[in-house]
């Protein structure tokens, strides 16, 4: 069982609201990620971090922002939510191995913007 | 273009039966391939990793194969159980111990009926 936690699990909000999705891990991993997943579709990387004070945009253009002030915490913020932001958001951290990174995922936040 | 294609998109089998899921990829240069299991409403969990030199690897009732020449992998599930109902995602990495690019398939949705 991975020690990575996301809150809230479900969120329904109105258009224009500011929201923050929380993600915390207790495994001491330096690398953390945010993925967006729609039903039946592949995961898309929207942000990642190599460590404290390091953040990068991923492959999928996103209007969200992230911060990494502490190793264990990697929150994602949407300043003004829109219906197009409705999706599942998965946070992950990774452990480097000789064969590449092994991802540990949280349970996700299902966001619905009305 | 680097891609990961999985088939079938969905599969229904009876409890106790075997099944095989397919993953074809065009990712190059290839580093490793992981199979993840994603239960409904949860984040993906790593089942197994296949590197370039490995042809077959087993993890309990899961057996993964890799043919690096044809760029194909399969995940065979033996004596299926109801708890095997999930989405199985193939993820291919194009680099080793450094943070390489990950390419995700769309997954195969497996349903096991009693």
């Amino acid at each position: 069982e991975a020690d990575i936690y996301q809150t809230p699990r479900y969120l329904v909000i109105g258009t224009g609201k500011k929201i923050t999705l929380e993600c915390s891990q207790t495994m001491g991993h330096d690398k953390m990620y945010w993925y967006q997943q729609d039903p039946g579709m592949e995961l898309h990387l929207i942000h990642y971090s190599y460590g404290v004070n390091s953040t990068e945009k991923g492959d999928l253009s996103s209007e969200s922002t992230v911060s990494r002030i502490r190793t264990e915490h990697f929150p994602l913020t949407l300043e003004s939510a829109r219906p197009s932001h409705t999706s599942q958001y998965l946070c992950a951290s990774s452990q480097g191995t000789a064969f590449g990174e092994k991802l540990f995922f949280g349970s996700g936040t299902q966001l619905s913007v009305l | 273009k680097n891609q990961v294609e999985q088939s079938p998109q969905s599969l229904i089998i009876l409890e106790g039966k075997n099944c095989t899921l397919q993953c074809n990829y065009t990712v190059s240069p290839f580093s490793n391939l992981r199979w993840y299991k994603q239960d409904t409403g949860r984040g993906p969990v790593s089942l197994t990793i296949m590197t370039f030199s490995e042809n077959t690897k087993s993890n309990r009732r899961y057996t993964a194969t890799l043919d690096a020449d044809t760029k194909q992998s399969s995940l065979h599930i033996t004596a299926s159980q109801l708890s095997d109902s999930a989405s199985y995602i193939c993820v291919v990495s194009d680099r080793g111990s450094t943070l390489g690019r990950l390419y995700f398939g769309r997954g195969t949705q497996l349903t096991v009926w009693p």
Side-chain angles (χ1 to χ4, degrees):
Chain A
E1 193 79 19
D3 296 318
I4 180 164
Y5 308 99
Q6 289 186 244
T7 57
R9 287 294 306 277
Y10 304 94
L11 181 60
V12 181
I13 61 169
T15 298
K17 298 293 186 183
K18 176 181 178 179
I19 61 167
T20 296
L21 308 185
E22 301 288 347
C23 176
S24 295
Q25 51 100 2
T26 59
M27 295 173 283
H29 292 165
D30 287 327
K31 301 182 183 75
M32 295 190 73
Y33 318 78
W34 276 102
Y35 287 92
Q36 189 171 335
Q37 184 182 32
D38 293 314
M41 302 296 289
E42 63 268 44
L43 277 70
H44 290 286
L45 180 67
I46 51 176
H47 296 283
Y48 62 97
S49 167
Y50 288 128
V52 171
N53 294 325
S54 156
T55 61
E56 301 286 344
K57 287 188 179 295
D59 308 319
L60 184 67
S61 175
S62 175
E63 293 161 346
S64 58
T65 59
V66 292
S67 63
R68 190 86 183 278
I69 299 173
R70 304 196 314 267
T71 297
E72 62 271 22
H73 195 212
F74 191 40
L76 180 145
T77 298
L78 272 169
E79 290 293 334
S80 180
R82 293 206 301 271
S84 61
H85 295 138
T86 294
S87 186
Q88 169 150 283
Y89 293 84
L90 288 166
C91 179
S93 66
S94 71
Q95 175 185 54
T97 73
F99 308 111
E101 302 291 319
K102 178 179 179 180
L103 294 173
F104 295 85
F105 287 89
S107 294
T109 293
Q110 180 61 53
L111 173 65
S112 297
V113 184
L114 306 178
Chain B
K1 181 181 177 182
N2 288 324
Q3 284 185 308
V4 177
E5 300 285 346
Q6 292 188 243
S7 62
Q9 183 177 357
S10 61
L11 181 63
I12 300 174
I13 61 173
L14 294 176
E15 187 178 14
K17 298 297 185 182
N18 305 334
C19 67
T20 300
L21 315 180
Q22 298 289 346
C23 174
N24 296 340
Y25 61 91
T26 59
V27 177
S28 181
F30 173 84
S31 174
N32 62 75
L33 181 151
R34 285 188 186 269
W35 284 94
Y36 286 82
K37 178 186 179 187
Q38 184 175 22
D39 293 314
T40 301
R42 311 286 294 187
V45 175
S46 178
L47 290 175
T48 187
I49 179 174
M50 303 295 291
T51 60
F52 188 86
S53 59
E54 295 175 304
N55 298 117
T56 303
K57 183 179 287 186
S58 293
N59 176 7
R60 291 180 291 180
R61 293 180 297 101
Y62 301 107
T63 298
T65 66
L66 175 67
D67 186 333
D69 292 329
T70 62
K71 299 187 176 182
Q72 296 179 326
S73 176
S74 67
L75 181 68
H76 185 76
I77 303 175
T78 304
S80 60
Q81 301 176 356
L82 299 180
S83 59
D84 292 331
S85 294
S87 178
Y88 291 83
I89 302 172
C90 176
V91 184
V92 180
S93 174
D94 68 357
R95 205 168 286 179
S97 56
T98 56
L99 185 61
R101 174 80 181 267
L102 298 179
Y103 297 86
F104 289 79
R106 295 184 175 186
T108 291
Q109 183 63 50
L110 174 66
T111 303
V112 181
W113 283 1

